[in-house]
Amino acid sequence: MSIIQRVIVVTASIVLAACGGGGSSSSHVAATPPTTPTGPTTPVDPMPPVVTPPTVAACAAPTTNQAPVLFDKAPMLAICDGVYVEPTTTADDQLALRQSVAGAYTTVTKFYGEFTAPHPQMIFCQTQACRAYFMGSYAGVYSPLGFKLPNATYTAGKPTIFITYTSFVGQAHSLTVAHELTHTETLYRYGGGGVPSWFNEGIATLVGSYPDCTSLTANYVVDFRTADFEAAVADSSKGDAIYCQAARETNAWITANGKQKLIDLLAGVKAGNQFYTLYGNLINH
Ligand SMILES: [Zn+2]
């Protein structure tokens, strides 16, 4: 993943970064064709085959008129509430994206126990022109306040996840949605408080399983408390590995303290407590 696939969005005292995120989409299972009994003496059960239409939790086709999102004066296509694609997006890609959105909500909800944030708007680009218009040079980003992104034309005016899904190979775009959606929920939980960027990215990478940390096990940052995280990530040869180091740190902390302590930490930051007062010493460095 190149560095342009990450972005740091600075909002007041909040620093959010963006890139991929996890969420497998296993909710779609091909229907098994009904078997036809062939034995000559076996009565045929006339029960009709059960056909289960695909369901896409959290990303069902819109049932109400959607606020128009224009790209070059033409409306984007809403594939579910608040989720937009270019009108030229193929039916297969539309279905894959809906599955990715549904899978992302499932993944983040499973991690936190509950998805509490208002659902963000999502804009999925296929073409580079769309990408340039909506998200500038970025390929995946969560913009919590909906400001115009650097080098972009569009101003969302509301919390929005932007992803150029064609920039992510294979299932990576699905994982990216969960990574970004983790930012949404994490930010909502710590509210106007502040958490370090390494923590934000560590949680998102851990929950989203993206970037893929399978082979990225080396630690590059000596101490997240004192290092310039953004500067370290800006070295594109190490960027993913640094996200993965952050994910290992957050995972080690959760393993040692428990999930509830993490939820309490975010609530504590929202209540005005300092992050490191609640987090304590780093574990995995
Ligand atoms: Zn991120």
Side-chain angles (χ1 to χ4, degrees), residues 17-19 179-180 183 201 204 243:
C19 67
H179 178 116
E180 303 302 346
H183 283 313
E201 292 305 340
Y243 272 43

Side-chain angles (χ1 to χ4, degrees), residues 230-255:
E230 280 77 15
V233 169
D235 181 345
S236 60
S237 67
K238 300 176 181 174
D240 285 359
I242 293 170
Y243 272 43
C244 291
Q245 180 180 345
R248 284 194 299 278
E249 167 61 31
T250 53
N251 189 41
W253 191 92
I254 293 167
T255 299

Side-chain angles (χ1 to χ4, degrees), residues 94-108:
Q94 288 183 36
L95 180 58
L97 290 167
R98 292 172 64 191
Q99 290 176 311
S100 296
V101 172
Y105 276 103
T106 299
T107 297
V108 179

